C-alpha cells in the first residue's frame, strides 16, 4: 500500500553481488518472444497488492517517528528499526546475511530505476547494496512514467526489492518483469507462472516472493464449484515443490474480503485470494509494529488494520492441507490463511526510495502485505544459509514450530482483528488465528529453528 510520495534523493554507487542469472537463463525464452504456457490457462486479472494513499509530500529524506506523527499521524520506520525489532542484527554479526542464497521477485513491468534506487536506499541507511539481476519475461513494453498501471507496479517493485534487501542484505536478488497489461481479460497470471517455472527449472532462486493476488471467486467457474481455472495455473508451484524452492505470497490488504472482477470494490462477503490460499504457497499476513526510535517494541504487535487490513480467512477452493490439521477447529475443512505475519501496517510503514517517475523522485512510506512477503523472503534466505540448502515448502515446519516454546514464533494475541470494508474478520487470539496465522517471529531463534525443522 502506497502511503506517501516525498522529496528528492541523491545518487549512490552500487557494490554488486556475484553474477548468477545470465548463465542459468541462457536457454530461457528471449525477451522479444512471448513465452508459452500450458493450454487452456484462464486469463485472470492480477493486481499488485500495493495501493495508493498519498499523505506525505516534499520531504528530502526520511524523518523521525515523531515528525511522521506530527505531519501525518502515522509512524514511519526505517530498515534499521525493523532490524532491531526482529533482532536481526545478532544474525548479521555472525555472518548470517543470506549470503549465497537468491530471492526471486516477480512483478509486472518492473522499474527502470530499480538498481539506482536500491543503491540510494542502501546508502541512506549505511547498508551495502547488492546487484539486482533483471529478467524480462515475454514482451515487456517500454516503461512509461505517465502510465498509472506501470508506475503502480514500479512502486510495488521498489517496495519488494528494498524490503527483501533490508532483511537479507547478503542475498542475491533476481527481479522478473512480466509484460502484463492492466486491463480485464488480458493474460497476467499465466505469464507470471510461466516465468517462475522457467527460473525454477534453470536453478535460479531459493525463495520466490509474490506481492500480487486475484480473488478466488473471480476465476472462471469457481462460483459454480469448478476450480479448474486455478488448478491449471499451479504448475509453477508444483515445480517449486519438486525442486525444493520456497514460494511466498502476500495475504492481501482487504482483511477477510477482496476485490471484485471489475475492480470496482470489494466483495461484501468473506472471500480469499490466489496464490496466497494455495497450500503450496506460504501466505504472509500483516502486523502493526509499535516501536521507539531505536526500533525497540513499546508494546506487542497487533493486527494490521488501518488504511487496509491483513488478508485472512478460508479458501473456497482448497481443502484443509495436512499441515493445518492441528488447527482444524479454526479453519474447518478448508485451507486457512495467513500462515505467518510480519510488518505491514501503514501506521508503521516502511521508508522506500524511488526515482522511476521523474516528476516525483524521492522518499515514500509504504505499508501492506506487499511489505511483509518480501520481508519474510529475506528471513527464509537467512534460514537457507544456516541450513546450507533450500528449505522448500516451509508450511509444515511453521505449524510444528508454533507448538513449541523457544522456536522464535511469537504469538500475536492482543484481540485486534482484520475486519474490513464492513465484512467481519478474525481476531488475534492465543495460538493460530486467521488474522496473523501462527503469529510473527524473533529472527535469531526462528531462523535457527526453521533451518532445522524444514527439509533436511
Amino acid at each position: 500500500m502506497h502511503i506517501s510520495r516525498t522529496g528528492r534523493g541523491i545518487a549512490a554507487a552500487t557494490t554488486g553481488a556475484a553474477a548468477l542469472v545470465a548463465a542459468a537463463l541462457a536457454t530461457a525464452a528471449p525477451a522479444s518472444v512471448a513465452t508459452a504456457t500450458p493450454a487452456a490457462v484462464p486469463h485472470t486479472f492480477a493486481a499488485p497488492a500495493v495501493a495508493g494513499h498519498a499523505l506525505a509530500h516534499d520531504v528530502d529524506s526520511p524523518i523521525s517517528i515523531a515528525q511522521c506523527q506530527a505531519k501525518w499521524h502515522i509512524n514511519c520506520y526505517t530498515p534499521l528499526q525493523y532490524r532491531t525489532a526482529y533482532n536481526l542484527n545478532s544474525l548479521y554479526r555472525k555472518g548470517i546475511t543470506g549470503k549465497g542464497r537468491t530471492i526471486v521477485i516477480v512483478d509486472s513491468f518492473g522499474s527502470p530505476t530499480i538498481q539506482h534506487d536500491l543503491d540510494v536506499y542502501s546508502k541512506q541507511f549505511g547498508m551495502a547494496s547488492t546487484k539486482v539481476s533483471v529478467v524480462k519475461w515475454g514482451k515487456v513494453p517500454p516503461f512509461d512514467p505517465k502510465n498509472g498501471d506501470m508506475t503502480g507496479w514500479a512502486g510495488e517493485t521498489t517496495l519488494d526489492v528494498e524490503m527483501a534487501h533490508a532483511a537479507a542484505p547478503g542475498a542475491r536478488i533476481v527481479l522478473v518483469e512480466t509484460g502484463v497489461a492492466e486491463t480485464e481479460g488480458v493474460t497476467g497470471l499465466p505469464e507470471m507462472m510461466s516465468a517462475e517455472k522457467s527460473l525454477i527449472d534453470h536453478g535460479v532462486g531459493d525463495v520466490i516472493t509474490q506481492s500480487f493476488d486475484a480473488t478466488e471467486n473471480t476465476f472462471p467457474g469457481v462460483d459454480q464449484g469448478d476450480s479448474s481455472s486455478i488448478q491449471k495455473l499451479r504448475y509453477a508451484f508444483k515445480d517449486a515443490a519438486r525442486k525444493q524452492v520456497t514460494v511466498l505470497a502476500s495475504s492481501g490488504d482487504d482483511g477477510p474480503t477482496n476485490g471484485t472482477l471489475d475492480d470496482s470494490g470489494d466483495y461484501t462477503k468473506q472471500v480469499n485470494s490466489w496464490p496466497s490460499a494455495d497450500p503450496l504457497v506460504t501466505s504472509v499476513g500483516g502486523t502493526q509494529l509499535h516501536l521507539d526510535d531505536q526500533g525497540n517494541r513499546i508494546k506487542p504487535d497487533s493486527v494490521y488494520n488501518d488504511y487496509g487490513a491483513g488478508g485472512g480467512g478460508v479458501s473456497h477452493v482448497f481443502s484443509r492441507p495436512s499441515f493445518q490439521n492441528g488447527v482444524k477447529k479454526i479453519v474447518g475443512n478448508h485451507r486457512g490463511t495467513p500462515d505467518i505475519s510480519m510488518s505491514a501496517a501503514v501506521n508503521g510503514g516502511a521508508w522506500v526510495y524511488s526515482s522511476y517517475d521523474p516528476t516525483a523522485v524521492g522518499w515514500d512510506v509504504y505499508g501492506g502485505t506487499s511489505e511483509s512477503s518480501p520481508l519474510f523472503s529475506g528471513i527464509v534466505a537467512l534460514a537457507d544459509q544456516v541450513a546450507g540448502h533450500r528449505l522448500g515448502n516451509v508450511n509444515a515446519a511453521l505449524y510444528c514450530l508454533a507448538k513449541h516454546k523457544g522456536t522464535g514464533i511469537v504469538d500475536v494475541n492482543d484481540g485486534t482483528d482484520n475486519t474490513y470494508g464492513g465484512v467481519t474478520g478474525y481476531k488475534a487470539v492465543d495460538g493460530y488465528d486467521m488474522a496473523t496465522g501462527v503469529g510473527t517471529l524473533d529472527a535469531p531463534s526462528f531462523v535457527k529453528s526453521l533451518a532445522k525443522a524444514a527439509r533436511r
Side-chain angles (χ1 to χ4, degrees):
M1 178 171 290
H2 182 201
I3 260 288
S4 64
R5 164 67 63 189
T6 62
R8 302 262 168 194
I10 57 173
T14 181
T15 61
L20 169 71
V21 180
L25 292 180
T27 59
S32 61
V33 179
T35 56
T37 58
V41 173
H43 291 180
T44 305
F45 177 67
V50 73
H53 287 282
L55 298 181
H57 300 277
D58 302 326
V59 177
D60 293 332
S61 63
I63 58 178
S64 70
I65 292 174
Q67 289 171 311
C68 286
Q69 281 287 354
K71 279 180 170 288
W72 312 302
H73 308 293
I74 62 171
N75 290 338
C76 308
Y77 298 142
T78 71
L80 304 183
Q81 290 164 325
Y82 286 139
R83 288 176 169 191
T84 298
Y86 291 110
N87 292 320
L88 284 160
N89 292 317
S90 64
L91 292 173
Y92 302 154
R93 287 193 291 269
K94 296 177 181 178
I96 303 169
T97 62
K99 184 178 180 180
R101 316 318 298 185
T102 301
I103 298 170
V104 173
I105 296 169
V106 184
D107 282 309
S108 299
F109 305 128
S111 167
T113 59
I114 191 59
Q115 184 66 66
H116 168 266
D117 295 345
L118 180 62
D119 296 343
V120 174
Y121 172 83
S122 299
K123 184 176 181 179
Q124 174 71 32
F125 301 112
M127 305 184 299
S129 191
T130 191
K131 185 178 187 300
V132 181
S133 299
V134 177
V135 177
K136 292 185 180 293
W137 191 256
K139 294 182 179 179
V140 181
F143 188 81
D144 180 1
K146 296 181 181 179
N147 183 311
D149 290 334
M150 288 187 173
T151 56
W153 279 98
E156 176 62 70
T157 299
T158 306
L159 178 63
D160 289 347
V161 169
E162 293 179 14
M163 290 303 98
H165 182 61
R172 303 180 180 103
I173 294 177
V174 176
L175 171 63
V176 183
E177 301 175 350
T178 63
V180 181
E182 289 299 329
T183 57
E184 294 295 344
V186 177
T187 298
L189 287 169
E191 288 189 354
M192 291 171 166
M193 296 302 104
S194 178
E196 289 182 19
K197 185 178 187 303
S198 181
L199 265 68
I200 292 166
D201 288 344
H202 287 86
V204 178
D206 302 298
V207 54
I208 298 172
T209 178
Q210 307 167 111
S211 293
F212 52 83
D213 70 333
T215 308
E216 290 177 331
N217 305 64
T218 64
F219 285 80
V222 168
D223 278 339
Q224 291 73 47
D226 177 7
S227 65
S228 60
S229 58
I230 289 180
Q231 299 296 339
K232 290 173 182 176
L233 283 167
R234 302 183 71 217
Y235 58 90
F237 302 155
K238 293 177 181 178
D239 198 35
R242 288 190 293 269
K243 303 293 177 61
Q244 305 301 332
V245 175
T246 308
V247 183
L248 316 176
S250 301
S251 70
D253 294 322
D254 300 272
T257 185
N258 213 1
T260 57
L261 180 62
D262 62 4
D263 204 32
S264 62
D266 286 338
Y267 281 86
T268 57
K269 60 182 181 180
Q270 293 178 344
V271 296
N272 212 315
S273 63
W274 190 87
S276 169
D278 200 301
L280 296 175
V281 171
T282 298
S283 174
V284 187
T287 60
Q288 181 179 20
L289 294 177
H290 308 279
L291 308 178
D292 63 18
D293 288 331
Q294 288 71 47
N296 300 303
R297 282 177 171 78
I298 56 178
K299 67 177 183 178
D301 299 3
S302 52
V303 178
Y304 151 45
N305 194 337
D306 41 35
Y307 291 86
V314 295
S315 170
H316 293 180
V317 171
F318 298 100
S319 60
R320 185 185 70 244
S322 60
F323 60 79
Q324 288 191 319
N325 284 345
V327 296
K328 62 183 179 181
K329 290 183 179 179
I330 300 168
V331 302
N333 294 324
H334 298 272
R335 159 74 157 130
T337 63
D339 296 308
I340 194 166
S341 297
M342 291 190 75
S343 179
V346 173
N347 185 3
W351 284 107
V352 172
Y353 177 85
S354 66
S355 62
Y356 53 80
D357 181 353
T359 68
V361 174
W363 291 90
D364 307 329
V365 176
Y366 279 85
T369 56
S370 290
E371 175 189 351
S372 60
S373 185
L375 278 174
F376 191 66
S377 75
I379 300 298
V380 173
L382 301 179
D384 281 345
Q385 180 187 354
V386 171
H389 54 69
R390 295 173 179 167
L391 300 183
N393 189 317
V394 300
N395 288 343
L398 293 178
Y399 289 83
C400 180
L401 294 178
K403 297 177 183 178
H404 305 285
K405 294 182 179 180
T407 61
I409 294 286
V410 180
D411 195 11
V412 179
N413 56 3
D414 70 338
T416 52
D417 63 60
N418 65 349
T419 295
Y420 186 76
V423 180
T424 301
Y426 305 91
K427 287 186 178 181
V429 296
D430 291 341
Y432 177 85
D433 54 67
M434 290 186 288
T436 62
V438 298
T440 188
L441 59 92
D442 178 64
S445 297
F446 179 78
V447 166
K448 179 180 178 181
S449 299
L450 183 63
K452 289 183 177 180
R455 176 180 177 265
R456 298 179 186 278

